[in-house]
Amino acid sequence: MSDTTAPPRRGFTLPPMTVIGPVLALVLLIVLGASLNSNFLSAANVTNVLARSAFIGIIAVGMTFVITAGGLDLSVGSMAAFVAGLMILVMNAALPTLGIGLPLVLLGMGVALLAGLCAGLLNGLLITKLGIEAFIVTLGSMGIYRSLVTWLADGGTLSLNFDLRRFIRPIYFDGILGVTWPIIVFALVVIIGEIVMSRTAFGRHAAAVGSNEHVSHYSGISVARVRLVTYVMLGLLVGIATILYVPRLGSASSSTGVLWELEAIAAVIIGGTVLKGGFGRVWGTVIGVLILSLIDNILNLTSLVSPYLNGAIQGVIIVLAVILQRGRKASS
């Protein structure tokens, strides 16, 4: 008697709640926003939401790698403020020599990238070489960077030269075929990040280190090097985000980048990356970024809840996301 049970379809599995949950939440937010305000789905509002999401999104991609490898970085907001202040100071100082033009802009970009890379490298070395907890290192550097930018600004605001500010505005406001540069750069970072995370040995090593660093070590993976690279990547992406941010306002102060670390971590956790490490997905982080941005946008367009409570809502979302992760782990 032959077995008449049909074999399962290969390559077909029902999407788990960890996949469809964030996607469903995103769809519901879009429907809610459209029903509450007729301008929600307008081209201008959508472009504005995506452009403003780019800063946090770029940083959140780097945070995905750090958390996947079992790390954490609380300093990215303060780091961005410090990098922005340093970029502005250098460009203003070099203005009489170089004049307003591409060389001066490239100098500012180079300073931002180098400063971000060095800041990430310093965090990584303190964590991997000295064995200090990531929470302690980045909490300390968060205070250091915030104090440094306050000191550089003498308690006020660092502003670009007016003509220079007008010259670099297109970096934020212009683009290709109506798509602004922040959105384009964000998309490129996401594509590269997803490829690295899911298609390369480094992505697999980051997940392995976050899952069990002792097993990874005995498997021949350099745990310290993998974690160090994730922090350097994050620092570099902070530099890129800052390059796109400075042309928007042309200034930096002690309030620049406040709560960026909270938003980046929230986006990563909402997207399904495990807070304790071992599993991460860049595309999920993108959904998390969009969810947070849409919540902020809906609060600004409507009077349901004060937009000043956005930070509280993000904090609640982080706690709920972690509780759901623990619940899934306990039931598995």
Side-chain angles (χ1 to χ4, degrees):
M1 183 175 177
S2 61
D3 186 2
T4 59
T5 303
R9 293 169 59 185
R10 298 185 61 184
F12 177 81
T13 56
L14 289 174
M17 200 59 195
T18 56
V19 175
I20 65 174
V23 175
L24 181 60
L26 180 61
V27 172
L28 290 176
L29 279 174
I30 293 174
V31 173
L32 176 63
S35 63
L36 292 175
N37 193 296
S38 58
N39 294 322
F40 181 76
L41 293 179
S42 66
N45 188 59
V46 171
T47 300
N48 179 58
V49 169
L50 292 176
R52 297 185 68 175
S53 301
F55 311 129
I56 300 300
I58 291 170
I59 294 173
V61 170
M63 189 72 76
T64 303
F65 283 89
V66 169
I67 292 179
T68 299
L72 188 68
D73 196 330
L74 301 175
S75 68
V76 291
S78 300
M79 188 189 300
F82 172 69
V83 171
L86 194 61
M87 177 181 174
I88 290 171
L89 282 177
V90 170
M91 293 180 73
N92 283 340
L95 179 59
T97 302
L98 297 179
I100 296 177
L102 184 60
L104 182 60
V105 175
L106 292 178
L107 173 63
M109 291 180 175
V111 168
L113 292 176
L114 181 60
L117 188 149
C118 289
L121 178 63
L122 179 61
N123 280 345
L125 289 175
L126 290 173
I127 292 166
T128 59
K129 298 301 182 182
L130 297 184
I132 307 174
E133 289 290 334
F135 176 84
I136 300 299
V137 170
T138 58
L139 183 64
S141 57
M142 176 177 68
I144 292 171
Y145 295 135
R146 188 68 64 187
S147 295
L148 283 175
V149 71
T150 304
W151 172 68
L152 290 174
D154 196 22
T157 301
L158 293 167
S159 299
L160 276 173
N161 172 274
F162 180 78
D163 293 329
L164 179 57
R165 184 189 312 178
R166 186 169 56 183
F167 181 78
I168 68 170
R169 276 174 60 87
I171 295 176
Y172 177 82
F173 292 98
D174 287 359
I176 301 175
L177 300 176
V179 182
T180 60
W181 290 116
I183 300 174
I184 294 172
V185 174
F186 179 31
L188 291 175
V189 168
V190 168
I191 292 171
I192 295 172
E194 178 62 27
I195 292 173
V196 173
M197 178 67 79
S198 61
R199 304 289 183 180
T200 69
F202 178 78
R204 294 190 295 271
H205 290 172
V209 168
S211 178
N212 193 316
E213 63 178 73
H214 299 293
V215 173
S216 299
H217 174 73
Y218 289 117
S219 299
I221 299 174
S222 176
V223 174
R225 183 174 63 185
V226 169
R227 282 199 172 135
L228 177 62
V229 171
T230 62
Y231 282 99
V232 172
M233 287 174 55
L234 178 55
L236 187 63
L237 290 174
V238 169
I240 293 175
T242 303
I243 290 172
L244 298 170
Y245 176 81
V246 168
R248 177 171 173 258
L249 299 176
S251 63
S253 67
S254 59
S255 62
T256 298
V258 171
L259 294 182
W260 281 16
E261 57 280 334
L262 177 64
E263 293 183 52
I265 294 172
V268 173
I269 303 307
I270 292 170
T273 296
V274 178
L275 183 58
K276 291 186 177 181
F279 177 78
R281 53 188 183 204
V282 172
W283 67 264
T285 294
V286 176
I287 294 177
V289 169
L290 294 178
I291 288 174
L292 293 177
S293 297
L294 288 181
I295 291 174
D296 184 41
N297 186 242
I298 291 173
L299 292 180
N300 287 326
L301 292 177
T302 65
S303 58
L304 291 177
V305 180
S306 170
Y308 296 115
L309 291 175
N310 193 26
I313 294 174
Q314 291 171 1
V316 170
I317 290 174
I318 292 179
V319 174
L320 291 177
V322 173
I323 291 174
L324 289 174
Q325 284 187 0
R326 294 183 63 182
R328 289 194 299 266
K329 184 176 179 181
S331 61
S332 62

